[in-house]
Amino acid sequence: WMRMSETLVENTLQGISIWFCMAFVVLCVSTGNLLVACICCTCVAGVLVTVLGLCVYRVMGWELGIRETIAAVILTGLAVDYGVHLANAYIEAPSSIYNRRDRTRYALSRMGVSIVASGVTTALSGSILWCCTLVFFSKFSTLLVTTILSSLLWSLIFISSLLLTIGSEGEDWKLKTIAHWIAKRVRRSSEETW
């Protein structure tokens, strides 16, 4: 049993690591912005640490068993949802909106109500599982509700605060801009060697 528990923890960490790499690539492609993708991945890491570290381990006192590892892998997908919508709204702001403050305001006004409404309805529907007699469903309900609420808080407070203070403006941190900069550096270094 001990070896199986160790294997579950290793596989959970491996699955989350693979998920983070894939999510970072998808976020880079979908937003086209390296900084915004890093901010979103940091938010997801914060949600997972909040839910698995604080809620599961400290508050509830659960060990990382079969139920928790299955739920942890499933809930990583939910943790990224709200941050991605907010980040995409920030990136897709009209070109006339240039500065960080106005872009963040645009993203929050465009997606904030939808994110909060989605979070509330998902948390309410997930809380119905608390009435189940099977332990898996009641634990899954706790993990689902805490993930949704934590994701809401991290997205609306953390992501919007970082976008407001260090978010990209104009062509900064865009993948095209970074690719052009790298190409220019490579050309310059190759010319210096000749």
Side-chain angles (χ1 to χ4, degrees):
W1 179 252
M2 182 65 171
R3 182 64 191 137
M4 187 172 132
S5 295
E6 289 173 353
T7 305
L8 283 173
V9 171
E10 289 172 10
N11 288 340
T12 301
L13 294 176
Q14 182 182 21
I16 290 173
S17 301
I18 291 169
W19 180 90
F20 261 105
C21 294
M22 294 299 295
F24 181 73
V25 169
V26 169
L27 284 167
C28 281
V29 170
S30 73
T31 61
N33 194 302
L34 186 65
L35 178 65
V36 173
C38 288
I39 290 171
C40 285
C41 281
T42 305
C43 174
V44 172
V47 171
L48 291 178
V49 167
T50 302
V51 172
L52 294 178
L54 295 178
C55 177
V56 171
Y57 185 70
R58 287 289 181 197
V59 176
M60 302 302 282
W62 297 339
E63 295 293 324
L64 199 57
I66 294 173
R67 293 177 222 123
E68 293 80 16
T69 55
I70 292 170
V73 174
I74 292 170
L75 295 175
T76 52
L78 289 172
V80 73
D81 196 26
Y82 304 133
V84 168
H85 291 307
L86 200 59
N88 278 330
Y90 180 86
I91 292 297
E92 293 173 0
S95 58
S96 60
I97 302 174
Y98 186 76
N99 65 10
R100 293 178 185 116
R101 187 182 57 122
D102 293 340
R103 289 176 81 85
T104 305
R105 180 181 293 153
Y106 174 82
L108 286 171
S109 66
R110 182 93 171 163
M111 292 305 298
V113 173
S114 300
I115 289 171
V116 170
S118 171
V120 168
T121 56
T122 305
L124 286 175
S125 63
S127 65
I128 298 300
L129 291 173
W130 277 324
C131 300
C132 293
T133 56
L134 292 175
V135 175
F136 173 78
F137 291 119
S138 66
K139 281 189 174 186
F140 187 76
S141 174
T142 302
L143 289 172
L144 176 73
V145 170
T146 54
T147 300
I148 294 300
L149 296 177
S150 178
S151 183
L152 270 174
L153 291 174
W154 275 89
S155 297
L156 294 176
I157 295 170
F158 178 78
I159 289 181
S160 60
S161 298
L162 281 182
L163 290 176
L164 186 64
T165 55
I166 64 169
S168 61
E169 293 180 325
E171 298 297 313
D172 296 343
W173 294 97
K174 284 191 175 180
L175 293 180
K176 283 193 234 177
T177 306
I178 294 170
H180 287 302
W181 181 81
I182 291 171
K184 189 187 292 185
R185 299 286 287 180
V186 168
R187 262 188 259 120
R188 194 178 306 157
S189 68
S190 66
E191 290 172 359
E192 289 174 0
T193 59
W194 287 99

